[in-house]
Amino acid sequence: MNADRTAWDRRSVVPVIPPIQRRKLAKVPFVELADGRLQGVVSSGSDIARVYVSSIAAKTHGFNCSTNNNRPCGGLGSRPCKHLVALATEAVLQYGFERVARYLGVEAGDGDSTGGDLIRVLKGGPESIPAATVFSRFLRHLAYLEVPATTEPIADLQWFPATGAVR
Amino acid sequence: MLGIQLSELLGEVPPGVEEALDLVAGLDDALVHGLGRLGEERATAFAALAGAMAGTPLGDRLGEAVEKIANGSVADEYLTALAGGRTALFGAVHDALLDRLDSALGRTRAEWAGLSAPASAPDNLLAGSRSWLRELAITGWRGVDHDLVSASSQTVEALLAEPGLRGLAVLLDGFAAELRASSPIATMDVPPARRWADLWARAVLLSHPEGRTGVQEAAGVTGRLLILGVDVHEHGTAVQVQVHGLLEVSGESRPRLVRTSVAAAKVDTIVGTAVWGLLAGYPVLMGALAERRSLQVADMPLTAGGDLVWQEERARPGEAADPFAVARVQLAGALAPAVPPLDRHPVRIAEPVLVEGFTAFVEQDGSVEFRLNDTSIPVAVDRLPACGPLTPELVAAASAVLGLMRWDAGRWSLQPFAVQTTVKRKPAEAHTGDWAMGPTDPKVVKAEAKAGDAVAVLRERAGRLLRR
């Protein structure tokens, strides 16, 4: 194992991105740690065509939630709304508590392990975060499912072995 | 593979391999810090690379590139020369290793006879890719920030829409995702220098207007495909299932080793057994994997590189064929394909072998090793995919293994894709492709039902939100 560690920068195939865990997507179809934010999309509980765009900035912990049409979320006050709690909860399922806490720069206590715990210790308040950017990243995410499959061999994928049976 | 073959393979490193890789390390290190501020030490390492290749056809261009870059002129043509030089070194390493493997296994390999005529592609798309790769090289991995990573998005999106550029699109997307996930790289412990330089150099060559071999010339073949096993490749937004098998071509006495592949775009939340759902459009091939059947193919294109370009309508299911029986009887005499020039890199070495008569050792850290006579081969249990039934435990308990010989960073390893073992005193088998038509293990079926159908959920969201 030590020999493997030292060879990390001499290997062509190394796992760079930690594996993510499978989770139910119905409520929160999209979560990502990107652009210095935990951001994602939460499906509305009442209107099937509406989604909420929720995000929490790393370091400052400023947060925001609005609909995809840029209407502010009614539940958002000085503290995060239920969509932000759902976002944090699903992010913890997907990436693990450690990774999300580290990305946000949250100082978690010993017993903290859930998305609710993360939300509780946020030190920021409501902040203007561009919902359009996040929503367009979600649309781009969905667009992958429309790219047709191919049977042309992709040699480039030799650098990306599937892993994950070791859990 | 026999013990004596393994000890021949591992006996000594082919001459020149270590020296070649040391030369590459200087360039890899320069890319960590950026070509925009090449210090004296790194400029010397650079010059050594150019010096070593002075006698080759690339010598002049590489010499010029190194000089210009050291003087601060980082233009595309110099980067192409640099990437070309690095790729040529890896090509030589690849050839030496594959030769050694072939001679240890007694495997005969065809001579390269393919044409690699450059395919035409819209140059504006390639220009976008080149400009991103140039920025990366100037900045170096340490200097990469969110903005630079995000700058690749538009390029990738445009490339994905162009079928002939799928490989480049998938490569850039996987590369950008790693940079994104590693940010801030400035404070990263040790960046994966070899790997990222590999990905960068390959992308630079594929982004050159004449760099791609495009669709390789392929001839139609008719015969029977006997499946040995399946290798799965995956990153956040792509999955590829690559089947290794023996093709009995009508009229030929000796079977050919071939690969046939299906790749789909995906998103990072589609993982594990869910990836098979993306390949549902290929029921003949997936059915053969799940049912361990042979396949009859008629006039199916086969490239000079040994890739059978799969077409469902030209295939039909054949009789049941046990991959272990196929390998025992026919693998030793099969003809291996030549490797396309641009793909000559050690990561592409994936030679099917059958290994039996070993003793398995499991280390405390979970790593597994097979000992044959006096020689040990590491088993790449970290390459067992989550979409199949193989686990390190099954591999460690196996009496026979089918898999691929791999090489990375000075070390050979065996990547299993099928095992014969004993479960509750009865002989049992497990293959990576067993769940190609859906999982068959009740526990996994239950877990899948609990997780819900990710593909269906996202398709519903796409249908409602995407075209507005």
Side-chain angles (χ1 to χ4, degrees), chain B residues 404-425:
Chain B
L404 300 173
M405 288 304 291
R406 294 277 187 184
W407 187 93
D408 195 12
R411 211 171 73 136
W412 287 98
S413 63
L414 171 68
Q415 174 197 345
F417 54 43
V419 299
Q420 281 186 327
T421 182
T422 310
V423 175
K424 292 181 182 156
R425 293 192 204 162

Side-chain angles (χ1 to χ4, degrees), chain B residues 225-278:
Chain B
L225 177 66
L226 299 160
I227 293 169
L228 290 167
V230 56
D231 179 27
V232 185
H233 311 141
E234 183 179 2
H235 66 47
T237 57
V239 60
Q240 176 170 253
V241 164
Q242 189 158 65
V243 177
H244 290 258
L246 294 173
L247 183 67
E248 296 171 328
V249 180
S250 306
E252 290 183 6
S253 58
R254 154 179 233 185
R256 294 165 179 253
L257 261 172
V258 297
R259 314 178 185 203
T260 193
S261 315
V262 185
K266 69 176 199 75
V267 294
D268 57 355
T269 44
I270 299 173
V271 290
T273 50
V275 300
W276 297 112
L278 298 166

Side-chain angles (χ1 to χ4, degrees), chain B residues 11 14 19 71 94 128 147 204 277 314 333 418 422:
Chain B
E19 291 82 351
N71 290 326
H94 164 275
D147 290 342
V204 168
R314 292 175 192 265
T422 310

Side-chain angles (χ1 to χ4, degrees), chain A residues 1 4 7-14 16-18 20-26 29 31-36 43-44 48-51 68 94-95 99 103 135 137-167, chain B residues 22 25 146 150 153 157 160 166-167 170 173 177-178 180 182 190-192 194-195 198-199 202 206 232-235 237 240 242 259 261-263 265-269 273-274 282 307 310 343 345 347 365 381-386 390 406 408-409 448 450-451 454 458 461-462 464-467:
Chain A
M1 206 62 190
D4 285 357
W8 162 267
D9 59 344
R10 287 284 194 123
R11 285 167 66 185
S12 288
V13 177
V14 283
V16 176
I17 303 183
I20 67 167
Q21 293 304 311
R22 202 164 171 174
R23 61 177 183 88
K24 276 189 178 170
L25 299 180
V31 169
E32 66 171 358
L33 298 169
D35 304 333
S43 296
S44 159
I48 199 164
R50 191 196 306 156
V51 294
N68 49 324
Q94 182 164 324
Y95 297 112
R99 196 168 154 201
Y103 193 88
F135 190 63
R137 283 188 60 84
F138 174 52
L139 293 185
R140 178 166 181 263
H141 186 78
L142 291 179
Y144 277 104
L145 298 177
E146 315 236 308
V147 178
T150 177
T151 59
E152 289 292 334
I154 303 177
D156 315 84
L157 282 170
Q158 294 292 342
W159 272 274
F160 298 91
T163 59
V166 185
R167 278 175 274 258
Chain B
D22 282 341
H146 291 307
S150 301
S153 300
E157 207 171 330
L160 273 174
R166 186 69 167 265
V170 163
D173 213 12
E178 292 191 2
R180 186 189 298 278
S182 306
V190 183
R194 168 72 35 89
R195 173 177 178 79
D198 272 0
L199 302 181
R202 179 154 177 102
L206 293 180
V232 185
H233 311 141
E234 183 179 2
H235 66 47
T237 57
Q240 176 170 253
Q242 189 158 65
R259 314 178 185 203
S261 315
V262 185
K266 69 176 199 75
V267 294
D268 57 355
T269 44
T273 50
Y282 301 87
D307 283 299
W310 190 256
D343 293 347
H345 186 291
V347 299
D365 63 5
V381 286
D382 54 342
R383 289 188 77 147
L384 299 175
L390 292 194
R406 294 277 187 184
D408 195 12
E448 198 171 55
K450 195 171 156 236
L458 293 173
R461 293 283 78 184
R464 216 168 277 282
L465 300 165
L466 214 47
R467 277 163 294 276

Side-chain angles (χ1 to χ4, degrees), chain B residues 423-453:
Chain B
V423 175
K424 292 181 182 156
R425 293 192 204 162
K426 284 189 187 143
E429 281 186 22
H431 299 250
T432 293
D434 282 353
W435 298 346
M437 299 293 276
T440 51
D441 180 329
K443 262 192 271 176
V444 179
V445 173
K446 211 171 145 192
E448 198 171 55
K450 195 171 156 236
D453 187 342

Side-chain angles (χ1 to χ4, degrees), chain B residues 7-281:
Chain B
S7 62
E8 184 187 337
L9 177 66
L10 303 184
E12 59 180 305
V13 183
V17 166
E18 283 177 9
E19 291 82 351
L21 295 178
D22 282 341
L23 281 174
V24 167
L27 171 56
D28 295 354
D29 185 50
L31 285 168
V32 171
H33 301 276
L35 303 185
R37 46 188 157 174
L38 210 56
E40 200 166 309
E41 191 183 327
R42 286 191 280 274
T44 312
F46 246 55
L49 173 67
M53 299 197 69
T56 72
L58 277 170
D60 289 348
R61 297 180 69 172
L62 199 55
E64 188 194 0
V66 163
E67 198 185 311
K68 296 281 188 184
I69 290 172
N71 290 326
S73 168
V74 188
D76 283 350
E77 57 171 314
Y78 307 135
L79 294 178
T80 303
L82 218 52
R86 189 184 186 279
T87 305
L89 276 172
F90 274 107
V93 170
H94 164 275
D95 292 357
L97 294 167
L98 193 58
D99 264 358
R100 171 62 60 92
L101 181 59
D102 283 343
S103 79
L105 295 174
R107 189 160 285 176
T108 312
R109 188 167 300 277
E111 292 285 327
W112 175 251
L115 299 171
S116 10
S120 64
D123 193 52
N124 60 329
L125 293 183
L126 296 179
S129 167
R130 286 198 299 272
S131 113
W132 185 66
L133 293 163
R134 185 176 60 239
E135 283 308 308
L136 272 185
I138 293 172
T139 311
W141 317 137
R142 288 284 189 202
V144 171
D145 59 11
H146 291 307
D147 290 342
L148 184 47
V149 175
S150 301
S152 69
S153 300
Q154 272 196 323
T155 302
V156 169
E157 207 171 330
L159 290 172
L160 273 174
E162 184 69 39
L165 296 173
R166 186 69 167 265
L168 178 60
V170 163
L171 174 65
L172 289 182
D173 213 12
F175 186 17
E178 292 191 2
L179 294 173
R180 186 189 298 278
S182 306
S183 296
I185 301 170
T187 57
M188 191 180 188
D189 205 9
V190 183
R194 168 72 35 89
R195 173 177 178 79
W196 285 351
D198 272 0
L199 302 181
W200 176 83
R202 179 154 177 102
V204 168
L205 294 189
L206 293 180
S207 304
H208 190 274
E210 289 166 36
R212 291 159 316 104
T213 48
V215 180
Q216 290 173 42
E217 197 115 322
V221 290
T222 297
R224 183 165 75 144
L225 177 66
L226 299 160
I227 293 169
L228 290 167
V230 56
D231 179 27
V232 185
H233 311 141
E234 183 179 2
H235 66 47
T237 57
V239 60
Q240 176 170 253
V241 164
Q242 189 158 65
V243 177
H244 290 258
L246 294 173
L247 183 67
E248 296 171 328
V249 180
S250 306
E252 290 183 6
S253 58
R254 154 179 233 185
R256 294 165 179 253
L257 261 172
V258 297
R259 314 178 185 203
T260 193
S261 315
V262 185
K266 69 176 199 75
V267 294
D268 57 355
T269 44
I270 299 173
V271 290
T273 50
V275 300
W276 297 112
L278 298 166
L279 308 173

